[in-house]
Amino acid sequence: MSLSTKVTSEPQGRRPTPVPSPQYASNGLDVWTMMNQVAASVNAVNLGQGYMSYPPKEFITRAAQSALEENTHNQYAPPRGRPGLLEQVGIHFANRLSRPIDASTELSIHAGANEALLSVFTAFLEHGKGQEVILMEPAFDQYTPNIIMSGGKPVYVPLRVQSADKDPSKDVISSHDWKLDMDELEAAITENTRIIVVNTPHNPVGKVFTREELEQIGAIAARHNLLILADEVYEHLTFGVEHISIATLPGMWERTVTVGSAGKMFGVTGWRVGWSVGPAELIQPTLSAHTRIVFTSNTPLQEGVASAFKQARENDFLNVQCQEYERRRNRLMAIFDDVGLPYVVPDGAYYMLVNAAAIKIPSDYDFPAFIEERGANFKLVYFFIKEFGVSGIPPTEFYSEPHKHLANDYIRFAFCKTDEGLDEAAKCLQSLKRYLKETS
Ligand code: PMP
């Protein structure tokens, strides 16, 4: 059959040339690509982006390989997810949340936690109504664009450092010193507020919210009848403190969607498998949005994750892995102790904020325009990468414009890296000492 439509290269009528939406028109680099490029230009040790520089455990990759070889695991999965993975995630959350989970109504599998987050925003925000979502800053950089894409408006409440007698530019402080002012949180709520996002363990601060903090946030959510989006992708990584899911607090299950990530849990961020869990009334619209965003997550790696979950329960993988991360965290802290830069001790997740206020950047240092225009924190990180050969991420990227100054002195490093990588970083950072300002 041939189509007889006449093809003409002349524009017809007065239809304007399609232009991209302003949100996507700029070809500006995202912070990850930009800093990866700067790092590659000097062959820096990459402690920037939060991906593992070591391979997953063999039982995990073997699970995926066997799934790919199974003839039945290569076609569309049901949008909610493969039954085997739903069952496994259901068992995990029944333990984690101490309640029975109905995997056929209270769970959905997603293309990574990112897509689970977007699905929740898409499902619960209406375009054109000015509906607001409260984010605590620093906030994982995907939240804001996802809220805007879903027609919502992000409203920011920063965590504020309250470290009593300590000076964060000179002293090591605790991630617990980053506090949420509950009055400030409540004051940010308007009649348009619909959702509060609670990220614990927190990227990039490493803060693990305490029961008391979560109770206070929960009470505010209940008072204003808000949905809680609990981003708990680092639930399995806490060091000496307990991770509490806000959904386990009295009255919170009903208003909470909890999001998680196989990428984080099993060290396979490229597999793009995540999940959402919550009451059926909240998961059903989340699943409907997911079905229209990506339809379904990939089949073989869902099977791989299902098998990994099952084996992880048998070989105590999550506990062993957590100890390995704690060792890497301690190593990174020791490196900065040695060079004399203070940091924020992370109680969870795999990032550490280092306070680099003591580094003296020469006044005539040459910064490229794409860094210069992003402000002081980008300049600090650029200088750090170029001069010391170790890359990090500028945490101002995790802030709205009015609050960026709160992070100007910090650099975020990820410690999901090999021992060799950390040793190499330690060597490179020896050169840092000569740039430290005299501190009294
Ligand atoms: N939430 C937070 C706080 C994260 O740090 C990340 C990944 N960096 C995600 C969600 C996304 O997880 P995934 O890779 O499963 O999409």
Side-chain angles (χ1 to χ4, degrees):
M1 191 183 78
S2 72
L3 294 175
S4 61
T5 318
K6 200 171 130 209
V7 176
T8 166
S9 57
E10 290 300 310
Q12 297 182 353
R14 293 177 162 272
R15 194 185 304 278
T17 308
V19 291
S21 135
Q23 218 186 329
Y24 304 104
S26 140
N27 63 358
L29 292 179
D30 66 275
V31 69
W32 317 106
T33 313
M34 181 190 293
M35 290 304 160
N36 282 339
Q37 284 179 4
V38 176
S41 73
V42 288
N43 205 12
V45 183
N46 198 337
L47 305 187
Q49 203 169 0
Y51 60 81
M52 299 77 197
S53 68
Y54 41 83
K57 296 282 186 253
E58 209 188 324
F59 80 91
I60 297 169
T61 43
R62 227 182 305 115
Q65 274 159 7
S66 334
L68 265 173
E69 283 157 17
E70 282 273 343
N71 195 24
T72 49
H73 295 159
N74 292 294
Q75 307 306 329
Y76 294 126
R80 189 185 290 278
R82 293 284 294 176
L85 181 56
L86 288 168
E87 185 192 345
Q88 290 303 319
V89 178
I91 295 171
H92 175 79
F93 275 105
N95 289 332
R96 169 70 77 202
L97 305 181
S98 306
R99 62 176 303 125
I101 298 291
D102 182 343
S104 66
T105 59
E106 295 176 332
L107 280 180
S108 175
I109 304 301
H110 295 264
N114 272 321
E115 190 266 307
L117 295 165
L118 176 60
S119 293
V120 175
F121 293 134
T122 305
F124 290 96
L125 295 172
E126 267 188 83
H127 284 260
K129 298 260 173 88
Q131 295 178 342
E132 295 171 1
V133 180
I134 307 268
L135 297 178
M136 294 163 205
E137 289 178 312
F140 175 51
D141 69 327
Q142 203 77 346
Y143 301 146
T144 290
N146 280 190
I147 291 164
I148 293 169
M149 285 159 84
S150 307
K153 180 179 163 220
V155 173
Y156 303 97
V157 182
L159 299 174
R160 295 189 188 275
V161 177
Q162 291 173 19
S163 51
D165 51 340
K166 290 193 179 141
D167 173 353
S169 71
K170 295 186 185 139
D171 305 314
V172 170
I173 61 167
S174 160
S175 49
H176 189 59
D177 294 334
W178 289 59
K179 305 265 192 214
L180 181 65
D181 178 331
M182 297 299 163
D183 293 334
E184 200 177 351
L185 171 63
E186 193 147 23
I189 294 171
T190 71
E191 59 180 16
N192 291 326
T193 311
R194 292 290 177 275
I195 305 174
I196 302 185
V197 178
V198 182
N199 173 212
T200 184
H202 186 275
N203 171 14
V205 175
K207 176 183 173 75
V208 179
F209 283 75
T210 62
R211 181 178 299 278
E212 196 190 351
E213 288 172 322
L214 294 172
E215 277 169 358
Q216 289 172 344
I217 296 168
I220 292 171
R223 216 160 27 245
H224 297 274
N225 201 15
L226 304 178
L227 182 86
I228 297 172
L229 175 48
D231 180 344
E232 299 186 2
V233 298
Y234 302 103
E235 58 161 270
H236 55 293
L237 292 178
T238 57
F239 316 118
V241 297
E242 190 192 359
H243 165 69
I244 294 163
S245 286
I246 194 164
T248 59
L249 302 182
M252 289 300 118
W253 165 256
E254 291 71 18
R255 61 176 68 256
T256 304
V257 178
T258 303
V259 160
S261 164
K264 306 291 178 186
M265 193 169 272
F266 296 107
V268 289
T269 56
W271 285 17
R272 313 309 301 131
V273 176
W275 43 79
S276 59
V277 55
E281 310 78 74
L282 301 184
I283 295 301
Q284 183 276 321
T286 303
L287 170 62
S288 297
H290 156 78
T291 309
R292 292 303 164 207
I293 294 169
V294 285
F295 183 51
T296 175
S297 169
N298 77 84
T299 301
L301 296 178
Q302 288 194 50
E303 290 295 328
V305 173
S307 168
F309 256 119
K310 212 187 292 174
Q311 296 181 68
R313 266 197 302 280
E314 286 153 16
N315 61 20
D316 202 26
F317 168 71
L318 292 179
N319 285 329
V320 173
Q321 174 178 247
C322 189
Q323 286 160 16
E324 288 171 5
Y325 274 94
E326 187 165 1
R327 193 177 47 72
R328 291 188 191 108
R329 177 198 71 155
N330 294 347
R331 175 85 182 101
L332 190 62
M333 294 195 305
I335 291 171
F336 282 99
D337 285 335
D338 177 52
V339 296
L341 280 186
Y343 48 85
V344 181
V345 178
D347 286 338
Y350 51 59
Y351 307 99
M352 188 165 93
L353 291 178
V354 169
N355 191 309
I359 290 180
K360 188 169 165 17
I361 302 178
S363 56
D364 58 350
Y365 198 80
D366 200 15
F367 291 101
F370 71 93
I371 292 291
E372 189 81 50
E373 71 194 18
R374 303 296 298 270
N377 190 229
F378 274 64
K379 284 162 72 171
L380 173 66
V381 177
Y382 178 88
F383 177 80
F384 199 97
I385 300 173
K386 284 280 193 187
E387 293 305 310
F388 313 131
V390 177
S391 76
I393 291 293
T396 48
E397 192 66 8
F398 288 47
Y399 282 86
S400 60
E401 208 52 51
H403 298 143
K404 278 190 194 299
H405 64 96
L406 294 170
N408 266 347
D409 293 338
Y410 287 99
I411 306 178
R412 190 199 79 168
F413 295 101
F415 54 85
C416 45
K417 306 294 172 183
T418 58
D419 287 345
E420 294 73 32
L422 294 175
D423 288 347
E424 188 59 31
K427 261 191 243 144
C428 294
L429 291 179
Q430 288 306 313
S431 59
L432 185 155
K433 292 176 180 168
R434 73 193 150 95
Y435 277 100
L436 295 187
K437 287 178 203 163
E438 290 302 314
T439 48
S440 52

